[in-house]
Amino acid sequence: MDDLEKGILIMFDESGALDDDLKKQAKLYCNSIKEKPSICRLCIEKLCFSNLVQVQFWCLQTLHEVIRTRYLTMTPDERHMIRGSVFSIVCLEDKNLTRVLEGPAFIKNKLAQVLITLIYFDYPLVWSSVFVDFFPHLNKGNVVIDMFCRVLNALDDELISLDYPRTQEELTVASRIKDAMRQQCVSQIVRAWYDIVSMYRNSDQELCTSVLDSMRRYISWIDIGLIVNDAFIPLLFDLILVGSLSDQLRGAAVRCLSAVVSKRMEPQSKLSLLQSLHISRVVRLVTENDDAELVSDVAALLTGYAVEALDCFKRINSEDAKGISMELLSEVLPSIFYVMKNFEVDSTFNIIQFLSGYVSILKSFSPLREKQLLHLGQILEVILVLIRYNQAYRANLDVMDKIGKEEEDRMVEFRKDLFVLLRTVGRVAPDVTQMFIRNSLASAVSRSSNSNVEEVEGALSLLYALGESISEEAMKTGSGLLSELVLMLLSTKFPCHSNRPVALVYLETVTRYVKFIQDNTQYIPMVLAAFLDERGIHHSNINVSRRASYLFMRVVKLLKMKLVPFIETILQSLQDTVAQFTIMNYTAEELSGSEDGSHIFEAIGLLIGTEDVQPEKQSDYLSSLLSPLCQQVEALLINAKLLNVEEANAKIAVIQQIIMAINSLSKGFSERLVTASRPAIGLMFKQTLDVLLRVLVTFPKVEPLRNKVTSFIHRMVDTLGASVFPYLPKALEQLLEEIEPKQMVCFLLLLNQLICKFNTLVRDILEQIFPAVAERIFSVIPRNGLPSTGPDAITEEVRELQELQRTLYTFLHVITTHDLSPVFLVPKCKAYLDPVMQLLLFSSCNHKDILVRKACVQIFIRLIKDWCAQPYEEKVPGFRSFVIEAFATNCCFYSVLDRSFEFHDANTFVLFGEIVLAQKVMYEKFGDDFLVHFVSKGLSSAQCPQDLAEQYRQKLQSGDLKALKSFYQSVVENLRLQQNGSLVFR
């Protein structure tokens, strides 16, 4: 071995025994050899004489790289030498060159790639005979024939196939090569394919398989008459139908027929082609062959055939031709259905898409023919088979482990197209669809064991999916077999109901069809039983039980009034479920902070919160629920501060659960009921609020508890209305106690709710708490806002502060727009007026969120109107000059003049409208004081022409806001053109 061969072996060594530095040195040495002018000759010599596979691969890889990058700069003699040498190796012109062609497949594929790179540059203008020169060498046997196939495959992969993204240059070259081949050699290539397959079909079936796989790639762009003739088509069918041949060869012939079927052509020609194939000859293969790959290939052929027949039906206007298309479809559909029901095939997605297209075509038939109805029934059978889970995953899906979760996610995605197909069939043939689902359910019920879990789940899933396409009117009236289906659903207790997927889809399906119950109240007891017995809320699986609670709440929302006579029954059935929230078992895992299951309290609240319930009973119902829960909270708070961390966490988890339950319960009660018609109910909620506020005293720093209590206060504001006022000072005081700045977001949201609901009624409360709120916020947010940071620099802490700042802007906006700006002026709040104004000014000019800037400008507009109601009035000393000198100049002029202010952006243009409105309001309140300062310090300082400044003055004085906005935009754009670069912000 010479140094180059040693270097190549070291570079490709994978034993792990060689040092990395040595491998790097070897790579550097080999790369330096690549730069030599004689590298191509050197590589060809090595290919001729080296038996080392690594050396052969490196030489071929280097040849490919050098030809691709340097070929056009070589001399004609060098290029001729390379072409001749590579072609000699490919065609075995010298028997001493067999070492490459007898090497592994990846060496031969790389050699083919090198030859294709030469064809890329030289065919047909320089090297027009490359393909023709190949033919005489094919008689050398399978080695050269195999290489011939690899070259054709490489040509398709590297240049012709559109399965890979191509540059425009590659598309042009491919077109040039295909045109030349069509004129020169395609017919000879096809003849060679035919001769090779005919000659070697019994002696070398693997070689014939390679030939047919190459041929398949070319059928899409060569003359179809070269294949579809009395010679080739019979040969292909003969290969397919002779059982003694290998399944690989038969599959390759099937794939060639698929390419023939998919060939693009005029619909009438395509229809004639499809008829001529007599495709029924291959349909028996799907039932007589157990090779999955061959069956999959046949299924793809039949599907492609059916797709083309359907396309002919759509594109041809002749009724006779349409009839032929439907006959051809009918010929292959049974086999497609059989394959879909009995095999897993790669073309499943394509088949589903075809079936959807076929069913859509049937919408135009009225009435449907018997054969078409039969096809629809078979399509439903296919859907039912495909949506069934594999029994092997039954245990995983029941316990919902990692494997079960992955399988469920996969099936949810897989079922989407199938359910679309189901609903399409349901619209075309509703009676057929409903009858099929009824029979499927009946068949599943007829079995008495747990062996049919997947069958039951599949049938129920069909019924559930069908419900999405049924109109509300049809649902309510139970048209067709719908009423029978719902009755069957409600009255059936499946043997496998303990299985999680079955139980869940059953409850989801009952919920989907509950609208039928609205007008058929006789079935209400059956609905209640489904949710309240072991099929639903009392199911042994906790996940099913909790989902049942949520779904039951949805059912109650829909049937609310109809359920009043059953309240006693419902409450009695739920007694044990409700009691779980008051059991003092702090270490129970099911109570470890989980809030699932609280929907049952919302359902109860919706039931007992209606005015159709008698007042006395309503009070009793609510008291029986609230009293134990409140007592539980009071008991948990006793000596809670003395507990260790583990015990305290257990109590906190239970309290969280209880607060969530009470919160959910209260959702069923309206403000009118608890404050006007039945104040006794309101009193109970006030007492409950009083108890829950003590939680903040005992656990002031536990954020989850603070959030739960805050959420309940939100709820009580909506429920109790103004009667909640006596409790607000204490509630807000306790929430503010030891509050962290980042926790202020929730607090501000509560204040926003109070202001929006009660307006100026909360002024006294706001005056009391505003100083504490401002103190905490401005301790973490500077008056010039938070500094801008890139996406990579945003930490969780920065994100929390940004959220707090956004909420603060909303809070200030809510105050000013609800006539509460006087709050800023009371003595205890006045100290924070300057930081508030500075923050608003800075943000109105600089904040990266345009919506925030708009809100800040709107705040200024409102404050100007509030504090400067009369011209030259000075309600707030210094505010007038601050607005004219700082806000008007910086926000209304310089921030707009900056090129980052993009007029084409919709939000920015809305902000611009607010800025122009602010100028109009300032002129109305401040008159010429504003106008003179704005023109002299703003427009004139930016070298605005005097005539434009004068026109601005006139537009402003006219009071026409739309005209002012349009003119001011043109002023800004003209000034930008005068400025070379952005103005320095002042």
Side-chain angles (χ1 to χ4, degrees):
M1 285 191 294
D2 59 21
D3 288 344
L4 176 60
E5 291 175 333
K6 290 177 183 176
I8 292 170
L9 290 179
I10 292 170
M11 187 170 61
F12 284 122
D13 180 78
E14 295 180 351
S15 67
L18 298 181
D19 183 67
D20 285 343
D21 289 338
L22 180 62
K23 294 181 77 170
K24 288 178 182 176
Q25 290 176 24
K27 185 176 182 180
L28 289 172
Y29 174 74
C30 292
N31 286 342
S32 68
I33 298 295
K34 286 183 183 180
E35 302 304 317
K36 291 187 175 182
S38 60
I39 183 62
C40 290
R41 190 176 297 277
L42 176 63
C43 287
I44 289 167
E45 288 175 1
K46 293 290 181 188
L47 287 171
C48 293
F49 300 108
S50 177
N51 290 317
L52 297 170
V53 171
Q54 295 93 325
V55 173
Q56 291 174 3
F57 181 78
W58 185 87
C59 289
L60 289 169
Q61 188 180 50
T62 301
L63 268 177
H64 178 249
E65 182 182 325
V66 170
I67 294 170
R68 196 163 46 82
T69 57
R70 293 188 239 163
Y71 188 70
L72 295 179
T73 63
M74 296 179 185
T75 66
D77 289 341
E78 284 180 299
R79 290 157 67 173
H80 184 268
M81 181 273 297
I82 295 171
R83 285 196 302 270
S85 301
V86 171
F87 191 75
S88 294
I89 297 172
V90 168
C91 290
L92 205 61
E93 289 185 337
D94 184 344
K95 291 190 177 179
N96 294 322
L97 303 177
T98 58
R99 54 177 51 83
V100 175
L101 298 192
E102 290 176 349
F106 70 89
I107 293 292
K108 290 183 277 191
N109 289 338
K110 199 69 184 176
L111 176 59
Q113 190 181 36
V114 172
L115 182 61
I116 295 308
T117 309
L118 292 169
I119 290 173
Y120 179 93
F121 288 111
D122 287 348
Y123 181 79
L125 298 179
V126 177
W127 195 12
S128 61
S129 63
V130 57
F131 293 108
V132 175
D133 292 344
F134 224 123
F135 299 132
H137 298 283
L138 294 177
N139 59 15
K140 293 178 180 177
N142 55 9
V143 174
V144 177
I145 294 171
D146 174 72
M147 201 62 221
F148 180 59
C149 293
R150 293 180 191 275
V151 169
L152 292 176
N153 291 348
L155 178 61
D156 184 61
D157 287 336
E158 298 293 318
L159 280 176
I160 295 175
S161 174
L162 295 178
D163 291 340
Y164 312 98
R166 304 291 186 196
T167 64
Q168 187 57 48
E169 180 186 353
E170 288 171 332
L171 292 172
T172 302
V173 171
S175 180
R176 181 192 77 208
I177 290 172
K178 287 193 293 184
D179 288 344
M181 289 179 70
R182 287 189 189 103
Q183 291 178 6
Q184 183 195 45
C185 59
V186 161
S187 60
Q188 293 167 274
I189 291 173
V190 173
R191 183 68 199 182
W193 287 332
Y194 180 84
D195 290 342
I196 293 167
V197 173
S198 299
M199 182 181 300
Y200 288 91
R201 59 183 290 183
N202 293 316
S203 60
D204 195 338
Q205 294 181 23
E206 185 178 348
L207 180 67
C208 293
T209 302
S210 298
V211 170
L212 291 177
D213 279 336
S214 290
M215 177 178 123
R216 171 187 54 81
R217 295 166 175 252
Y218 285 76
I219 291 174
S220 65
W221 60 269
I222 65 175
D223 179 6
I224 194 64
L226 296 171
I227 306 296
V228 180
N229 51 49
D230 293 339
F232 230 128
I233 291 298
L235 174 63
L236 290 175
F237 273 104
D238 195 28
L239 295 173
I240 293 169
L241 298 174
V242 174
S244 60
L245 298 177
S246 71
D247 286 335
Q248 288 73 25
L249 176 55
R250 298 169 76 190
V254 170
R255 292 191 290 274
C256 285
L257 274 182
S258 293
V260 169
V261 164
S262 302
K263 174 82 171 176
R264 294 176 62 183
M265 58 180 68
E266 289 300 313
Q268 190 60 57
S269 301
K270 174 60 69 71
L271 190 59
S272 300
L273 168 63
L274 297 178
Q275 282 182 281
S276 69
L277 292 177
H278 302 294
I279 203 71
S280 58
R281 289 178 283 178
V282 302
V283 296
R284 64 179 175 82
L285 292 180
V286 301
T287 57
E288 296 178 1
N289 196 288
D290 56 1
D291 181 78
E293 288 190 17
L294 178 58
V295 171
S296 185
D297 286 331
V298 173
L301 167 61
L302 296 177
T303 304
Y305 185 94
V307 166
E308 296 299 326
L310 185 64
D311 186 60
C312 290
F313 178 89
K314 293 177 182 177
R315 295 169 61 195
I316 294 177
N317 295 323
S318 164
E319 290 301 320
D320 289 341
K322 284 183 179 289
I324 294 171
S325 299
M326 295 306 289
E327 287 176 13
L328 296 179
L329 275 172
S330 298
E331 198 174 352
V332 296
L333 277 174
S335 298
I336 293 175
F337 297 143
Y338 180 85
V339 170
M340 293 291 282
K341 287 190 284 186
N342 293 280
F343 295 90
E344 289 187 15
V345 292
D346 296 334
S347 54
T348 296
F349 176 77
N350 293 333
I351 295 174
I352 293 170
Q353 296 302 307
F354 156 70
L355 292 176
S356 295
Y358 173 66
V359 175
S360 297
I361 285 292
L362 296 184
K363 293 177 185 177
S364 61
F365 287 82
S366 184
L368 292 173
R369 299 166 191 163
E370 184 177 347
K371 186 173 283 188
Q372 292 164 345
L373 291 171
L374 177 63
H375 289 163
L376 291 175
Q378 291 174 312
I379 289 172
L380 292 170
E381 290 176 12
V382 167
I383 294 171
L384 180 57
V385 169
L386 292 180
I387 67 169
R388 286 179 187 162
Y389 282 104
N390 189 321
Q391 189 174 335
Y393 295 106
R394 184 184 295 180
N396 305 103
L397 288 162
D398 201 26
V399 299
M400 209 49 176
D401 57 15
K402 183 174 182 290
I403 295 174
K405 182 73 172 70
E406 289 174 354
E407 176 62 11
E408 185 172 81
D409 291 344
R410 184 197 68 80
M411 188 59 92
V412 167
E413 190 62 32
F414 177 70
R415 284 176 166 183
K416 286 179 181 176
D417 290 317
L418 288 165
F419 285 153
V420 170
L421 176 58
L422 168 73
R423 289 189 285 269
T424 306
V425 175
R427 282 189 286 268
V428 173
D431 292 341
V432 171
T433 307
Q434 293 175 21
M435 177 67 76
F436 176 82
I437 294 174
R438 187 194 70 172
N439 293 341
S440 300
L441 280 172
S443 172
V445 172
S446 65
R447 303 188 190 183
S448 57
S449 67
N450 276 329
S451 64
N452 63 333
V453 169
E454 291 73 30
E455 185 181 348
V456 171
E457 197 278 340
L460 288 170
S461 295
L462 285 184
L463 181 55
Y464 174 79
L466 179 67
E468 190 173 321
S469 63
I470 296 175
S471 68
E472 188 166 342
E473 183 60 31
M475 184 77 79
K476 286 185 176 182
T477 59
S479 62
L481 294 173
L482 210 55
S483 57
E484 184 181 344
L485 278 169
V486 174
L487 179 59
M488 179 185 288
L489 178 72
L490 294 173
S491 60
T492 302
K493 290 191 177 182
F494 300 100
C496 54
H497 225 115
S498 60
N499 180 268
R500 188 193 69 87
V502 170
L504 287 176
V505 72
Y506 176 80
L507 293 168
E508 297 280 1
T509 307
V510 171
T511 304
R512 172 154 282 182
Y513 286 89
V514 80
K515 286 183 180 178
F516 171 75
I517 310 300
Q518 284 181 307
D519 293 330
N520 296 273
T521 54
Q522 68 270 26
Y523 297 124
I524 285 179
M526 300 172 77
V527 173
L528 293 178
F531 281 100
L532 299 176
D533 65 19
E534 69 281 356
R535 288 173 290 176
I537 292 168
H538 289 94
H539 197 281
S540 57
N541 187 306
I542 187 65
N543 295 313
V544 174
S545 175
R546 288 172 174 172
R547 183 64 180 171
S549 297
Y550 167 72
L551 293 174
F552 182 63
M553 180 269 294
R554 284 175 51 190
V555 169
V556 169
K557 275 186 176 179
L558 201 64
L559 300 178
K560 192 154 70 169
M561 300 303 179
K562 309 285 175 66
L563 295 178
V564 171
F566 301 93
I567 289 179
E568 296 279 0
T569 304
I570 294 170
L571 292 179
Q572 191 172 356
S573 297
L574 295 175
Q575 203 166 10
D576 56 340
T577 306
V578 170
Q580 290 177 9
F581 284 81
T582 59
I583 295 174
M584 286 192 177
N585 181 6
Y586 306 137
T587 58
E589 288 185 11
E590 61 267 23
L591 293 180
S592 58
S594 171
E595 297 171 358
D596 288 331
S598 63
H599 293 294
I600 204 65
F601 284 87
E602 185 173 351
I604 293 172
L606 291 167
L607 276 172
I608 68 175
T610 173
E611 292 194 20
D612 292 309
V613 180
Q614 294 178 3
E616 298 77 12
K617 284 194 172 185
Q618 192 172 55
S619 295
D620 290 343
Y621 293 149
L622 185 60
S623 178
S624 67
L625 291 159
L626 286 180
S627 295
L629 293 173
C630 289
Q631 290 166 12
Q632 176 72 3
V633 172
E634 289 173 328
L636 289 166
L637 294 178
I638 296 173
N639 298 324
K641 292 185 176 180
L642 304 177
L643 301 174
N644 60 40
V645 174
E646 186 176 345
E647 292 172 331
N649 287 340
K651 286 197 172 190
I652 289 167
V654 179
I655 293 172
Q656 279 183 247
Q657 190 80 349
I658 292 173
I659 297 173
M660 197 66 191
I662 294 173
N663 204 359
S664 297
L665 183 66
S666 68
K667 292 179 182 179
F669 294 83
S670 67
E671 180 180 348
R672 194 181 68 81
L673 183 138
V674 303
T675 58
S677 61
R678 298 178 187 180
I681 300 295
L683 180 61
M684 278 190 254
F685 280 118
K686 292 173 189 174
Q687 292 167 344
T688 303
L689 176 59
D690 197 44
V691 171
L692 296 187
L693 288 176
R694 295 178 215 163
V695 173
L696 296 177
V697 177
T698 306
F699 298 105
K701 291 188 176 182
V702 180
E703 190 170 355
L705 277 181
R706 293 179 64 90
N707 292 340
K708 296 295 178 296
V709 174
T710 303
S711 178
F712 184 65
I713 296 171
H714 275 291
R715 172 57 53 192
M716 289 300 97
V717 170
D718 282 337
T719 304
L720 296 174
S723 65
V724 80
F725 262 75
Y727 297 86
L728 288 179
K730 178 184 176 183
L732 296 174
E733 179 186 345
Q734 289 176 348
L735 284 173
L736 271 173
E737 192 78 24
E738 300 187 53
I739 192 171
E740 295 291 330
K742 67 178 183 179
Q743 297 170 337
M744 287 296 297
V745 171
C746 293
F747 188 76
L748 291 179
L749 292 175
L750 176 59
L751 292 180
N752 287 346
Q753 182 197 19
L754 292 171
I755 295 169
C756 291
K757 187 171 180 69
F758 301 117
N759 295 303
T760 55
L761 294 176
V762 296
R763 176 172 171 175
D764 292 343
I765 294 173
L766 201 55
E767 288 178 357
Q768 291 297 318
I769 63 171
F770 184 80
V773 170
E775 181 66 35
R776 283 166 173 77
I777 291 177
F778 284 113
S779 69
V780 291
I781 295 180
R783 63 178 62 192
N784 58 350
L786 296 171
S788 297
T789 53
D792 298 334
I794 296 180
T795 62
E796 186 60 34
E797 183 181 0
V798 171
R799 194 174 287 108
E800 288 174 351
L801 289 175
Q802 288 176 340
E803 184 181 4
L804 174 58
Q805 184 175 250
R806 282 193 298 270
T807 312
L808 172 62
Y809 294 129
T810 304
F811 174 57
L812 296 173
H813 190 272
V814 169
I815 288 176
T816 53
T817 54
H818 287 79
D819 300 318
L820 287 167
S821 61
V823 169
F824 296 130
L825 306 180
V826 299
K828 62 170 66 176
C829 301
K830 212 166 186 178
Y832 300 97
L833 182 59
D834 183 61
V836 167
M837 291 298 108
Q838 294 298 336
L839 177 64
L840 290 173
L841 173 64
F842 183 85
S843 301
S844 68
C845 299
N846 302 299
H847 202 284
K848 62 182 180 181
D849 188 337
I850 294 296
L851 298 179
V852 167
R853 290 172 69 173
K854 184 184 79 169
C856 293
V857 173
Q858 289 173 335
I859 292 171
F860 273 114
I861 292 172
R862 189 58 189 255
L863 291 178
I864 293 168
K865 290 179 178 179
D866 287 352
W867 294 346
C868 308
Q870 302 297 325
Y872 307 104
E873 181 185 12
E874 187 86 307
K875 185 181 288 187
V876 183
F879 178 72
R880 175 193 179 92
S881 59
F882 171 79
V883 169
I884 294 174
E885 296 171 11
F887 171 71
T889 308
N890 289 325
C891 176
C892 297
F893 183 66
Y894 286 115
S895 75
V896 178
L897 192 59
D898 192 281
R899 294 179 186 276
S900 63
F901 195 96
E902 182 54 68
F903 286 107
H904 296 297
D905 176 71
N907 286 331
T908 304
F909 196 66
V910 172
L911 166 62
F912 181 68
E914 295 294 332
I915 288 173
V916 173
L917 175 61
Q919 295 173 42
K920 180 175 180 292
V921 172
M922 285 187 285
Y923 180 70
E924 290 171 353
K925 301 300 180 184
F926 308 141
D928 287 341
D929 287 354
F930 157 71
L931 189 54
V932 170
H933 189 277
F934 190 72
V935 170
S936 63
K937 299 296 183 181
L939 298 179
S940 298
S941 65
Q943 286 80 48
C944 177
Q946 188 61 40
D947 61 326
L948 283 180
E950 181 56 35
Q951 288 180 56
Y952 170 77
R953 180 195 305 269
Q954 294 171 2
K955 296 288 183 185
L956 187 62
Q957 291 172 338
S958 73
D960 186 340
L961 189 63
K962 186 176 181 181
L964 176 62
K965 182 179 178 181
S966 176
F967 178 76
Y968 189 52
Q969 180 180 348
S970 67
V971 169
V972 171
E973 290 172 340
N974 283 328
L975 288 175
R976 285 180 182 179
L977 291 174
Q978 290 181 25
Q979 306 284 337
N980 277 327
S982 299
L983 257 156
V984 176
F985 183 79
R986 302 187 186 184

